Amino acid sequence: VLDTQGDYQLLRIDFPDLVQDTRFLKMLNPSIGVWHLEGVERECMTVQQAINWRAGKFAQERDWKPAQLT
């Protein structure tokens, strides 16, 4: 676990013999109580950076804070 923010975690995972240093954003979907993993770019070092990366153009100038986190 590289970083934690609320129900979010930024994970660094190595897959032996396949790929090293992959990043995944682990998040809880509060509407159905299920955990999700979503791949994010390797440069993400914090949950906020991963959220911003997911938001793309919407987060270019500020930290993205969606109305409802999923």
Side-chain angles (χ1 to χ4, degrees):
V1 176
L2 295 175
D3 189 37
T4 300
Q5 179 182 325
D7 286 333
Y8 285 77
Q9 288 184 325
L10 180 62
L11 308 176
R12 178 185 181 264
I13 300 174
D14 293 330
F15 294 97
D17 300 323
L18 291 176
V19 66
Q20 302 296 307
D21 192 19
T22 59
R23 307 291 164 97
F24 290 88
L25 185 61
K26 177 183 172 185
M27 55 200 131
L28 179 63
N29 180 330
S31 62
I32 58 174
V34 174
W35 290 96
H36 296 272
L37 284 178
E38 182 174 313
V40 298
E41 72 178 353
R42 186 178 294 169
E43 287 75 23
C44 293
M45 295 299 295
T46 67
V47 166
Q48 188 61 60
Q49 288 174 342
I51 290 171
N52 288 351
W53 182 84
R54 289 181 73 225
K57 65 182 178 181
F58 299 110
Q60 289 178 359
E61 301 200 12
R62 60 182 170 79
D63 285 344
W64 180 247
K65 302 212 183 312
Q68 181 172 349
L69 302 177
T70 58

